């Protein structure tokens, strides 16, 4: 085995140059994925945590150049009402047996602090862990969500390349993004962040920085997805990311942050029918089955071809369970907190 993979497996430390060397090499990928798989097993075991994803609003105030929900896009916008969101969560928690609910939306100001906290308190009566993925908020709001019972928050940095971030997220601030991610930790929430892989002019050097950034902010969860060009966005003609590079960045993330939670992302599955399976064999230990009602899914098109469009919550869950069984792994029965947060 390559000496750097050996080193990462033992020490969970690599320098930027060492990360770059492994990201560049092609002949080492099999060993890299096997090492990430071994470290995953050693630190977080064979159980796969399922997080039921509810995409409750596609309104967004931002205009990110890669995203199908960007403000400038004239798409049919929807908000699911509080009662229906709660019912979906209840179905996911009580009928489907999911231990975590993830509430995701665009940056929709309609769901203000009061509305979110009410929803959080209601969902937390279901004996489930709760993750939010609703964008940039103030520290005060993050603290209020935590006090209302939210456990975790997902906010990808998207890229640590400040120039690229500025170009692809017009009107947004890279410094503010980082401050928000740090504030999640201050508020006592588990920190979930991550990146897109394959934005135009995104470099190997910058992936190495991204991975080091994950360590620096003490991330509890990291989601990595290949960028998939959306035809109605400014980046429609871009090449997009490859599954292979996304898996490599993910595997190295597992080696350097051995005990965190890492999802096999939907974008990976969208690029290849066995994309999530490959991810689960290269360091991932989480899947987020979509539990949004079928009628809304087609309107939550972050990128085209999203593998969950057209299915019902139960179908999505069954597809995920089949994948897990085919691997000889099992669905974890606990809440799947990062070690730092376990009581
Ligand atoms: N391809 C892949 N992932 C995307 N996201 C947004 N647009 C795309 C795209 N075109 C991801 C972003 C965001 C997450 C919710 O979806 O990384 O953080």
């Amino acid at each position: 085995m390559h000496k750097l993979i050996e080193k990462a497996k033992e020490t969970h430390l690599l320098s930027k140059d060492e990360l770059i060397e492994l990201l560049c090499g092609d002949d080492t990928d099999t060993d890299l994925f096997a090492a990430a798989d071994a470290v995953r097993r050693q630190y977080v075991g064979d159980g796969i945590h399922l997080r039921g994803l509810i995409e409750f609003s596609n309104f967004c105030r931002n205009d990110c150049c890669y995203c199908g929900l960007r403000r400038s896009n004239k798409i049919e916008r929807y908000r699911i009402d509080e009662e229906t969101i709660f019912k979906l969560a209840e179905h996911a928690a009580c009928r489907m047996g999911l231990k975590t609910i993830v509430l995701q939306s665009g940056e929709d100001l309609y769901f203000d602090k009061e509305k979110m906290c009410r929803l959080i308190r209601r969902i937390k009566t279901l004996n489930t862990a709760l993750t939010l993925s609703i964008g940039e908020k103030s520290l005060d709001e993050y603290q209020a969500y935590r006090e209302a019972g939210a456990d975790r928050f997902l906010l990808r940095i998207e890229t640590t390349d400040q120039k690229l971030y500025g170009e692809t997220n017009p009107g947004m601030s890279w410094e503010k993004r980082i401050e928000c991610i740090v504030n999640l930790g201050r508020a006592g929430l588990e920190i979930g962040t991550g990146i897109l892989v394959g934005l135009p002019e995104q470099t190997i050097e910058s992936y190495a920085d991204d991975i080091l950034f994950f360590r620096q902010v003490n991330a509890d969860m990291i989601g990595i997805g290949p960028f998939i060009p959306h035809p109605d966005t400014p980046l429609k003609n871009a090449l997009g990311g490859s599954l292979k590079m996304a898996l490599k960045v993910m595997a190295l993330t597992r080696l350097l942050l051995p005990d965190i939670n890492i999802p096999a992302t939907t974008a990976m599955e969208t690029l290849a029918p066995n994309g999530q399976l490959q991810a689960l064999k290269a360091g991932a230990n989480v899947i987020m089955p979509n539990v949004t009602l079928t009628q809304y899914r087609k309107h939550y098109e972050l990128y085209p071809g999203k593998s969950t469009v057209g299915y019902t919550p139960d179908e999505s869950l069954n597809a995920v369970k089949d994948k897990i069984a085919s691997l000889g792994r099992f669905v974890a029965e606990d809440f799947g907190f990062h070690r730092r947060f376990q009581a």
Side-chain angles (χ1 to χ4, degrees):
M1 193 186 288
H2 194 290
K3 63 177 191 325
L4 287 181
I5 297 177
E6 201 83 68
K7 177 184 167 190
K9 207 174 152 190
E10 297 304 319
T11 66
H12 311 299
L13 291 170
L14 288 177
S15 68
K16 180 171 176 183
D17 285 342
E18 291 170 335
L19 285 167
I20 291 171
E21 187 176 332
L22 290 174
L23 286 166
C24 286
D26 252 351
D27 47 339
T28 48
D29 291 352
T30 312
D31 284 351
L32 173 62
F33 297 154
D37 196 43
V39 166
R40 186 270 309 152
R41 177 171 303 125
Q42 185 190 340
Y43 281 83
V44 294
D46 276 340
I48 293 173
H49 298 281
L50 301 185
R51 325 289 203 195
L53 177 67
I54 303 176
E55 298 158 336
F56 69 94
S57 163
N58 69 354
F59 281 83
C60 193
R61 63 172 163 162
N62 293 326
D63 215 23
C64 307
C65 295
Y66 42 79
C67 183
L69 305 187
R70 66 198 305 265
R71 184 184 64 219
S72 313
N73 265 8
K74 300 281 168 280
I75 56 171
E76 191 176 319
R77 302 281 170 175
Y78 71 86
R79 287 185 182 109
I80 307 184
D81 64 276
E82 183 186 317
E83 188 59 28
T84 310
I85 300 172
F86 177 74
K87 286 263 148 40
L88 281 173
E90 190 177 42
H91 181 80
C94 305
R95 300 269 178 79
M96 301 167 106
L98 301 179
K99 299 287 177 192
T100 295
I101 302 298
V102 183
L103 293 181
Q104 189 177 82
S105 68
E107 289 203 8
D108 181 359
L109 297 178
Y110 171 83
F111 286 95
D112 58 14
K113 183 167 94 175
E114 194 196 323
K115 290 196 184 77
M116 277 318 298
C117 286
R118 198 168 59 212
L119 188 56
I120 293 165
R121 278 192 294 269
R122 264 189 98 179
I123 292 180
K124 284 298 287 187
T125 62
L126 298 169
N127 187 31
T128 169
L130 180 58
T131 304
L132 303 177
S133 176
I134 58 177
E136 295 181 8
K137 307 284 172 185
S138 64
L139 175 59
D140 170 69
E141 285 167 293
Y142 291 144
Q143 283 166 336
Y145 304 151
R146 178 74 192 120
E147 273 160 34
D151 301 284
R152 316 178 183 135
F153 201 103
L154 309 176
L155 186 69
R156 288 184 178 174
I157 181 66
E158 313 293 0
T159 172
T160 57
D161 178 333
Q162 186 168 6
K163 183 166 167 281
L164 181 60
Y165 184 91
E167 286 162 3
T168 50
N169 300 275
M172 295 175 73
S173 148
W174 181 82
E175 287 95 345
K176 167 134 186 272
R177 191 84 173 172
I178 292 185
E179 193 188 325
C180 283
I181 293 169
V182 170
N183 281 344
L184 297 175
R186 291 199 180 113
L189 294 156
E190 279 195 48
I191 301 174
T193 185
I195 56 159
L196 287 163
V197 168
L199 290 168
E201 293 174 64
Q202 199 176 11
T203 61
I204 296 270
E205 286 76 16
S206 118
Y207 300 138
D209 285 332
D210 295 335
I211 297 167
L212 295 173
F213 170 81
F214 301 155
R215 274 184 73 106
Q216 207 188 328
V217 294
N218 269 319
D220 302 294
M221 320 175 265
I222 292 295
I224 289 161
F227 159 57
I228 302 171
H230 190 295
D232 303 324
T233 62
L235 295 180
K236 60 177 174 230
N237 294 321
L239 267 176
S242 72
L243 177 61
K244 180 122 166 261
M245 186 54 79
L247 290 172
K248 286 170 73 156
V249 176
M250 188 198 75
L252 285 165
T253 300
R254 170 60 72 197
L255 291 177
L256 266 62
L257 292 87
D259 63 3
I260 64 164
N261 285 312
I262 301 184
T265 56
T266 308
M268 289 176 169
E269 188 74 1
T270 302
L271 283 193
N274 63 354
Q276 281 179 318
L277 275 181
Q278 291 188 52
L280 291 171
K281 292 195 274 189
N285 70 320
V286 171
I287 293 197
M288 298 166 65
N290 196 316
V291 298
T292 313
L293 290 171
T294 317
Q295 71 203 80
Y296 297 113
R297 293 188 185 196
K298 60 177 177 300
H299 303 301
Y300 205 86
E301 196 187 53
L302 303 165
Y303 46 84
K306 224 168 126 220
S307 59
T308 49
V309 171
Y311 296 97
T312 65
D314 293 308
E315 284 166 348
S316 290
L317 179 63
N318 289 335
V320 162
K321 284 190 169 165
D322 287 348
K323 274 186 201 123
I324 293 171
S326 79
L327 279 174
R329 305 244 293 267
F330 58 92
V331 176
E333 295 194 352
D334 60 311
F335 291 112
F337 288 102
H338 181 216
R339 218 161 46 166
R340 284 197 298 137
F341 285 80
Q342 277 162 12

